């Protein structure tokens, strides 16, 4: 099953193909500026029943050096079978389109990125017939953008950098910078970028922070995730209100019966947010001989 981070790591190039121009500069690769970019079908299946799909495939046309293909692969972990698949993709694309292909691998951890970046020689040790040399994006070479002003300069690159740094300790600062930058741009641009980051974070702890930033700092969003967080917040508020009401009822019952409630016990009652527990205490309050008696069976 394809994960959300996997989708985000390559889909951003489908949504913002021109991003590769900036990425190539970050990677130190000198490529001519494209005059046009075309998103191509990703199906590399042969006539025989073996299905092969690259994650994202783009065609770049330039004035100076003609055209080339960019295959983007999202890689979440080391996989010894991948280099052979990548070599096949490049060979197949070169045969099908008669254009020079490039492979860009996007990773979210340094170890996987370093593994993916190693040249793979295919052929006898004495003379490799082919050498696979992917370009690799990961936390080791993507900028750590923690300034809102810096994030505004290139929102697509900032989004890719946030996805690549999904496991970094500085991620909270990165996400706050991105949310600040997205606040100032039209929703038709901010919405897909914010959703890509949400996908890229997957189930990591920082995903919850981003959900709340979307719902609070980016309160204008009407995205499913933002609405879900707001619904959660409203539900939590209603639950807190019910808990407060039950706690007050317990204290009122005890007071009506003349039962003294020590400060420590009062704090325990009012500080409890578990409705099931509070309801048990409420049922015991009419017959408890002391305030602590409502906790007798806990």
């Amino acid at each position: 099953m394809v994960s959300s981070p996997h989708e985000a790591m390559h889909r951003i190039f489908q949504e913002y193909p021109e991003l590769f121009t900036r990425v190539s500069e970050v990677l130190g690769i000198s490529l001519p500026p494209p005059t046009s970019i075309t998103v191509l079908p990703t199906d590399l299946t042969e006539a025989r029943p073996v299905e092969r799909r690259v994650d994202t495939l783009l065609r770049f046309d330039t004035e100076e050096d003609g055209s080339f293909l960019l295959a983007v692969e999202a890689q979440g972990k080391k996989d010894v079978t991948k280099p052979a698949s990548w070599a096949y993709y490049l060979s197949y694309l070169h045969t099908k389109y008669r254009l020079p292909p490039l492979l860009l691998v996007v990773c979210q951890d340094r170890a996987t990125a370093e593994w993916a970046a190693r040249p793979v020689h295919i052929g006898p040790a004495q003379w490799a017939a082919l050498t696979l040399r992917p370009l690799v994006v990961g936390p080791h070479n993507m900028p750590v953008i923690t300034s809102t002003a810096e994030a505004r300069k290139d929102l697509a690159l900032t989004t890719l950098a946030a996805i690549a740094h999904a496991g970094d300790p500085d991620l909270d600062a990165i996400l706050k910078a991105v949310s600040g930058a997205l606040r100032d741009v039209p929703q038709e641009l901010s919405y897909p970028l914010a959703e890509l980051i949400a996908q890229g974070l997957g189930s990591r702890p920082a995903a919850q922070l981003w959900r709340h930033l979307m719902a609070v700092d980016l309160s204008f969003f009407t995205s499913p995730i933002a609405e879900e967080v707001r619904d959660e917040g409203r539900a939590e508020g209603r639950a807190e209100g019910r808990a407060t009401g039950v706690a007050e009822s317990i204290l009122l019952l005890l007071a009506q019966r003349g039962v003294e409630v020590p400060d420590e016990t009062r704090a325990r009652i009012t500080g409890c947010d578990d409705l099931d527990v509070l309801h048990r205490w409420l049922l015991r309050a009419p017959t408890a001989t002391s305030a602590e008696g409502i906790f007798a069976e806990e």
Side-chain angles (χ1 to χ4, degrees), residues 82-152:
K82 275 294 182 173
S85 295
W86 292 338
Y88 172 85
Y89 296 165
L90 295 176
S91 176
Y92 177 89
L93 291 170
H94 185 258
T95 301
K96 179 177 181 178
Y97 292 97
R98 298 296 177 183
L99 293 173
L102 271 176
L103 172 64
L104 178 69
V105 181
V106 184
C107 307
Q108 289 181 300
D109 69 273
R110 189 182 187 93
T112 301
E114 290 176 348
W115 164 80
R118 294 178 305 169
V120 176
H121 304 292
I122 300 172
Q126 298 87 341
W127 190 271
L130 295 172
T131 298
L132 176 70
R133 295 179 60 216
L135 293 172
V136 177
V137 161
H140 65 298
N141 57 13
M142 281 291 99
V144 177
I145 301 172
T146 58
S147 158
T148 297
E150 185 68 21
R152 288 194 187 103

Side-chain angles (χ1 to χ4, degrees), residues 233-246 272-273 275 278:
R234 287 190 284 266
E236 288 172 3
R238 289 193 294 270
E240 289 174 3
R242 289 196 297 272
T244 299
V246 176
C272 180
D273 58 5
L275 282 170
L278 286 168

